[in-house]
Amino acid sequence: LLQISILIIASIFLLKINGARNDSILTLLMIGSVLSVYIPKRFNKTISIVGTVIVFFLSILSIFITKILPYTTNLYDSLNVIFNGRLQFQYMLFTYYKPQFFGQLIPEIGLGGSQAPVLNYFYIDNSYTKMLFMAGIAFTIFMYCILIALVRRLINNDMYKLVYIILIVI
């Protein structure tokens, strides 16, 4: 009960004080990991496997979403609004750069969260896309393999609470 109370307070704090909507939602999802100890193992295993497939699929989809959805569609426009214009930056990234096997330097221009307009602002907001372009294809595949092996080992050892926490972080 204490862990759940702390997570609820942290979630409210993140939302109200910091305005971090996504972090607040993810913190509330952590309550599920706390409650996972009360779920039978076979259900936990099924939920973990399905959750792992969904999370890894969505993380890979998030890299290529601007290549899959045409720039001129209403769905792209709606998603871009939901993500505060960040899909536009990803579209620009794919327009000007291509993923390299060992990565590349891509200049990002920002002002560290300043509220003032920044000339030629460009930032890669998606961590997985940033990893693919800047660290390279080899490193990205290596990281996915490590994460998949880790989650698989945790599932095999019935460590579902940790599986859920890792999937939320991913």
Side-chain angles (χ1 to χ4, degrees), residues 33-158:
S33 69
V34 171
L35 297 175
S36 70
V37 296
Y38 302 109
I39 300 173
K41 282 186 182 180
R42 69 176 194 271
F43 290 127
N44 258 328
K45 186 168 189 164
T46 303
I47 293 167
S48 295
I49 292 169
V50 170
T52 299
V53 170
I54 290 170
V55 166
F56 280 96
F57 173 77
L58 289 176
S59 71
I60 292 169
L61 177 68
S62 74
I63 296 171
F64 300 104
I65 190 74
T66 57
K67 299 299 279 178
I68 296 167
L69 280 178
Y71 180 70
T72 56
T73 62
N74 289 335
L75 181 57
Y76 178 92
D77 190 47
S78 298
L79 286 174
N80 196 35
V81 169
I82 290 170
F83 295 119
N84 298 328
R86 290 179 172 100
L87 284 184
Q88 174 64 31
F89 294 129
Q90 197 159 320
Y91 175 80
M92 288 171 50
L93 176 69
F94 271 99
T95 301
Y96 295 114
Y97 300 95
K98 301 295 177 230
Q100 304 293 317
F101 191 75
F102 290 113
Q104 62 194 305
L105 178 64
I106 298 174
E108 296 178 273
I109 302 165
L111 200 51
S114 170
Q115 298 300 320
V118 178
L119 197 59
N120 298 321
Y121 179 83
F122 177 74
Y123 183 74
I124 306 168
D125 194 53
N126 182 320
S127 299
Y128 301 105
T129 305
K130 189 173 197 165
M131 183 170 49
L132 176 66
F133 277 82
M134 296 182 83
I137 296 168
F139 181 79
T140 303
I141 291 171
F142 180 68
M143 285 305 299
Y144 271 108
C145 289
I146 288 174
L147 289 171
I148 289 169
L150 172 65
V151 170
R152 187 172 167 219
R153 181 173 289 164
L154 292 172
I155 290 172
N156 289 339
N157 291 323
D158 299 330

Side-chain angles (χ1 to χ4, degrees), residues 4-28 31:
I4 293 172
S5 300
I6 290 170
L7 288 170
I8 290 171
I9 291 168
S11 179
I12 292 169
F13 179 83
L14 286 166
L15 184 63
K16 298 294 183 186
I17 306 299
N18 293 355
R21 176 190 65 205
N22 294 341
D23 293 337
S24 176
I25 293 168
L26 294 175
T27 303
L28 286 176
I31 294 172

